[in-house]
């Protein structure tokens, strides 16, 4: 059974930094694409950043230049370093595992989320 656990959220002032962590178990981590998504109140969930098994990264325009996604395959963990935070970054942040299924594609698993609040 795949488990996905996020941590690192909290309250920070505008201009500050946070590092989110997402640790997984029950899956072969290094084969999977990992993603960070966020959902603000009354808004749709959106991609923040993703990283493939080959370390190829993708960022939302709002995250470029401020956020950095990385992974530690030995620790089964993906990180999201968030710098220069803005009030509009306030949201629940979710980790998604796109589990490699070979010729069957991928299977998605989500964590429960961690809350990030940026005060002005």
């Amino acid at each position: 059974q795949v488990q996905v656990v996020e941590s690192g959220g909290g309250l920070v002032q505008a201009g500050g930094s946070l590092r989110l962590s997402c640790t997984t178990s029950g899956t072969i981590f290094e084969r999977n694409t990992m993603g960070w998504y966020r959902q603000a109140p009354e808004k749709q969930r959106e991609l923040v950043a993703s990283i493939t098994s080959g370390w190829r990264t993708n960022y939302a325009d709002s995250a470029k230049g401020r956020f950095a996604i990385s992974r530690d395959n030995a620790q089964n963990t993906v990180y999201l370093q968030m710098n220069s935070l803005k009030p509009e970054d306030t949201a629940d942040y979710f980790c998604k595992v796109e589990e490699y299924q070979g010729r069957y594609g991928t299977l998605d698993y989500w964590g429960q989320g961690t809350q990030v609040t940026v005060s002005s």
Side-chain angles (χ1 to χ4, degrees):
Q1 183 175 353
V2 177
Q3 293 188 326
V4 185
V5 180
E6 303 101 332
S7 62
L11 173 64
V12 64
Q13 288 189 329
S17 299
L18 282 174
R19 188 176 81 155
L20 306 183
S21 300
C22 169
T23 300
T24 71
S25 60
T27 182
I28 303 175
F29 180 82
E30 58 265 28
R31 292 186 182 180
N32 301 332
T33 291
M34 302 295 297
W36 282 100
Y37 290 72
R38 68 186 182 187
Q39 187 167 17
E42 300 183 0
K43 291 191 176 181
Q44 287 190 332
R45 191 171 295 189
E46 61 179 5
L47 172 71
V48 177
S50 64
I51 185 167
T52 69
S53 59
W55 287 74
R56 188 171 68 249
T57 58
N58 181 46
Y59 292 93
D61 287 343
S62 60
K64 289 177 181 175
R66 299 188 300 129
F67 296 0
I69 189 169
S70 62
R71 63 190 299 158
D72 183 339
N73 290 343
Q75 298 296 323
N76 295 340
T77 300
V78 63
Y79 301 99
L80 184 69
Q81 178 67 43
M82 303 188 295
N83 300 323
S84 302
L85 283 161
K86 305 174 182 179
E88 51 263 45
D89 294 317
T90 295
D92 291 324
Y93 283 71
F94 297 89
C95 178
K96 186 175 84 166
V97 179
E98 296 177 21
E99 186 181 51
Y100 176 74
Q101 300 286 313
R103 62 192 177 108
Y104 300 105
T106 61
L107 191 60
D108 293 346
Y109 296 91
W110 291 90
Q112 294 297 308
T114 185
Q115 190 173 54
V116 172
T117 303
V118 184
S119 63
S120 57

